[in-house]
């Protein structure tokens, strides 16, 4: 991959003298969905697939961006002398520009630009956080190229989220950027999004693999119902707060929720809040089971998570539902659920080694029959956070 971005750089910008190469992973969330903006727990891990960059600092204030994934768009330019603001014309470059802007907001303004070429092997829009991967990658590059040595990886996650919220207009939580910036090989991250306390938990699947099924239904977080779900949870919390002193939905146990749920007074808001509360508790339990090496119960909780996302949070849709339903018909599937924001994107399944081929074949065929186009399958590995390569 280093070769790919170096060759690309040479083709687009000419000379590669002084070019440096970097990588940041994508992520998959094993359990704890739509809990990160509700003060709950998440359990994601970084992947070995991600975004690669070849980059070189310039002597002037020009910024040039090029992605091998969007060659038709060509080179996108911006100038640090101008005010940085979101610009539809700049397409995907709004993610890196947002990070440069967010660094400046934190007092880390740069005045010399750079030429950069990116290549990602995360399927775009798949729910494996290709955008957060770019955000953390650019943050890491700014830190390394411009000498912002005090910036920690947790800062990179927070800067990425800040930029996504304020520059790109998606009110995402901290999960994606945190999982990517703090990724660790063969471990998932058990993160309390209320306090940012986290623990690494080894993912020992024994004789099984993590298989991602990508629905190929495209979605953009910005135009999805993501922000609406978040607002619904905030409204439900407000109504609960009228009868109980609680800071986030993640602070409630199932019993506490049941005792106050009538205060919400709206069936839709009640379902949204129920998901947030139960999913958080389920995540805590799931991690306990994983630590005890009880993968089967972990898998069952993944399935419960999916049911809740489908019935109460209503963020699945027929593509994801088909993938999970068909997955659960395959012998050797330990758990399966949608992962990420939903409304398209992908599912993650734990599949016994000997069942992987059958899984890909039978889920793939059933999906094509029902939906009319192919799903893509990836057997993935858990990898480290950002690094220079
Ligand atoms: C997206 C967001 C995350 C998180 C998930 C749902 O990936 O970026 O912050 O809310 O959806 O769990």
């Amino acid at each position: 991959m280093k070769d790919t971005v170096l060759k690309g750089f040479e083709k687009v910008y000419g000379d590669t003298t002084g070019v440096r190469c970097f990588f940041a992973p994508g992520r998959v969330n094993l359990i704890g969905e739509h809990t990160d903006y509700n003060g709950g727990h998440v359990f994601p891990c970084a992947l070995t697939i991600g975004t690669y960059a070849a980059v070189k600092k310039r002597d002037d204030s020009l910024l040039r961006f090029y992605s091998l994934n969007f060659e038709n768009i060509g080179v996108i330019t911006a100038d640090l002398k101008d005010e940085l603001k979101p610009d539809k014309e700049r397409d995907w470059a709004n993610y890196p520009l947002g990070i440069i802007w967010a660094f400046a907001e934190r007092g880390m303004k740069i005045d010399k630009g750079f030429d950069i070429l990116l290549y990602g092997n995360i399927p775009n829009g798949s729910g494996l956080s290709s955008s957060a991967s770019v955000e953390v990658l650019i943050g890491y590059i700014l830190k390394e190229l411009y000498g912002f040595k005090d910036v920690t990886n947790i800062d990179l996650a927070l800067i990425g989220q800040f930029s996504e919220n304020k520059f790109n207009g998606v009110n995402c939580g901290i999960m994606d950027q945190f999982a990517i910036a703090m990724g660790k090989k063969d471990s998932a991250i058990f993160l309390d999004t209320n306090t940012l306390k986290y623990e690494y938990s080894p993912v020992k699947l024994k004789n099984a693999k993590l298989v991602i099924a990508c629905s190929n239904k495209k979605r953009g977080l910005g135009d999805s119902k993501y922000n609406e779900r978040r607002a619904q949870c905030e409204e439900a919390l407000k109504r609960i707060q009228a009868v109980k002193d609680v800071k986030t939905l993640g602070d409630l146990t199932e019993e506490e929720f049941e005792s106050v749920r009538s205060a919400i007074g709206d069936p839709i808001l009640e379902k949204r809040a129920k998901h947030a509360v139960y999913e958080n508790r389920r995540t805590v339990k799931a991690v306990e089971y994983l630590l005890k090496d009880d993968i089967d119960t972990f898998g069952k909780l993944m399935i419960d998570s999916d049911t809740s996302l489908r019935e109460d949070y209503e963020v699945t849709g027929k593509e994801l539902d088909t993938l999970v339903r068909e997955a659960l018909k395959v012998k050797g599937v330990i758990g399966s659920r949608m992962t990420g924001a939903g409304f398209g994107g992908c599912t993650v399944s734990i599949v016994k080694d000997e069942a992987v081929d059958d899984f890909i074949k039978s889920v793939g065929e059933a999906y094509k029959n029902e939906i009319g186009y192919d799903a893509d399958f990836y057997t993935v590995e858990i990898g480290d956070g950002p690094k220079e390569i």
Side-chain angles (χ1 to χ4, degrees):
M1 290 300 168
K2 189 173 171 180
D3 257 16
T4 308
V5 285
L6 278 175
K7 280 206 186 99
F9 191 98
E10 186 166 25
K11 208 171 123 204
V12 175
Y13 302 115
D15 190 15
T16 56
T17 339
V19 170
R20 291 169 69 180
C21 296
F22 296 87
F23 167 79
R27 70 95 186 90
V28 67
N29 187 24
L30 299 181
I31 194 162
E33 214 65 82
H34 288 280
T35 49
D36 66 345
Y37 50 84
N38 284 310
H41 293 78
V42 291
F43 194 52
C45 48
L47 299 172
T48 53
I49 52 175
T51 319
Y52 294 81
V55 59
K56 187 179 173 180
K57 226 166 135 173
R58 298 177 57 94
D59 294 328
D60 59 15
S61 55
L62 202 62
L63 294 161
R64 295 198 290 177
F65 304 95
Y66 188 92
S67 167
L68 292 177
N69 298 81
F70 301 104
E71 293 204 279
N72 58 322
I73 297 178
V75 177
I76 302 168
T77 56
D79 197 318
L80 290 165
K81 284 195 194 119
D82 303 329
E83 189 197 344
L84 292 180
K85 45 179 195 264
D87 175 357
K88 270 216 164 79
E89 300 265 296
R90 294 209 173 100
D91 203 83
W92 66 267
N94 281 304
Y95 289 106
L97 285 167
I99 298 299
I100 298 168
W101 168 83
F103 264 68
E105 289 287 298
R106 292 200 167 199
M108 295 178 285
K109 201 169 178 326
I110 60 169
D111 49 16
K112 298 267 187 292
F114 55 78
D115 291 335
I116 192 166
L117 179 131
L118 298 187
Y119 173 65
N121 56 359
I122 311 170
N124 295 311
S126 63
L128 300 179
S129 285
S130 51
S131 50
S133 175
V134 169
E135 290 160 5
V136 172
L137 176 68
I138 299 295
Y140 192 81
I141 289 172
L142 291 183
K143 171 186 164 156
E144 292 298 313
L145 248 52
Y146 295 84
F148 299 124
K149 289 291 176 213
D150 295 339
V151 175
T152 64
N153 280 26
I154 293 184
D155 293 331
L156 292 180
L158 290 165
I159 291 171
Q161 183 200 19
F162 178 71
S163 153
E164 177 109 27
N165 291 170
K166 304 288 178 211
F167 200 87
N168 301 105
V170 180
N171 275 328
C172 67
I174 188 64
M175 171 171 76
D176 303 346
Q177 291 82 2
F178 199 97
I180 288 167
M182 299 297 288
K184 184 171 163 186
K185 191 173 161 35
D186 297 329
S187 290
I189 308 173
F190 181 48
L191 171 68
D192 178 347
T193 61
N194 231 344
T195 57
L196 290 193
K197 276 204 185 125
Y198 65 97
E199 269 166 45
Y200 288 110
S201 169
V203 178
K204 288 180 262 162
L205 296 179
K206 289 186 229 157
N207 303 317
K209 298 224 161 13
L210 283 180
V211 183
I212 308 273
C214 184
S215 69
N216 286 326
K217 180 189 179 196
K218 291 283 176 248
R219 53 150 196 97
L221 269 186
D223 49 45
S224 77
K225 300 263 183 200
Y226 185 90
N227 288 348
E228 181 191 296
R229 289 295 180 282
R230 186 169 181 154
Q232 289 171 329
C233 286
E234 279 160 12
E235 180 57 32
L237 174 66
K238 222 163 82 194
R239 296 184 188 187
I240 292 173
Q241 283 169 333
V243 297
K244 188 173 173 65
D245 182 21
V246 61
K247 286 208 174 58
T248 70
L249 292 174
D251 294 332
L252 294 169
T253 61
E254 295 94 329
E255 295 73 26
E256 284 168 339
F257 173 72
E258 293 304 331
S259 72
V260 295
R261 71 185 282 172
S262 60
I264 299 174
D266 174 283
I268 300 281
L269 296 184
E270 217 175 300
K271 288 209 283 184
R272 307 297 190 245
K274 179 184 168 215
H275 168 78
V277 171
Y278 278 68
E279 177 75 353
N280 176 44
R281 304 302 301 166
R282 192 160 31 236
T283 304
V284 174
K285 279 182 217 146
V287 175
E288 284 167 13
Y289 283 109
L290 189 69
L291 287 174
K292 285 191 276 186
D293 258 353
D294 183 349
I295 314 272
D296 290 331
T297 310
F298 185 86
K300 287 206 179 72
L301 292 168
M302 286 174 76
I303 300 169
D304 292 348
S305 162
D306 191 75
T307 307
S308 177
L309 287 157
R310 184 176 65 246
E311 292 177 356
D312 288 333
Y313 219 62
E314 297 180 278
V315 290
T316 55
K318 72 173 189 302
E319 295 81 4
L320 292 171
D321 291 345
T322 304
L323 288 173
V324 170
R325 192 188 62 234
E326 294 303 322
L328 296 179
K329 289 183 188 162
V330 178
K331 205 165 158 273
V333 169
I334 298 168
S336 185
R337 57 183 290 277
M338 61 145 273
T339 182
F343 312 104
C346 54
T347 64
V348 57
S349 306
I350 302 180
V351 186
K352 290 207 169 126
D353 288 343
E354 67 275 11
V356 171
D357 290 345
D358 183 28
F359 176 92
I360 294 176
K361 187 165 179 288
S362 52
V363 178
E365 280 172 9
Y367 186 81
K368 176 116 197 229
N369 277 340
E370 185 147 343
I371 305 297
Y373 52 84
D374 283 320
D376 288 320
F377 295 86
Y378 306 86
T379 303
V380 293
E381 270 156 40
I382 303 178
D384 285 318
K387 57 186 171 216
E388 181 156 8
I389 50 171

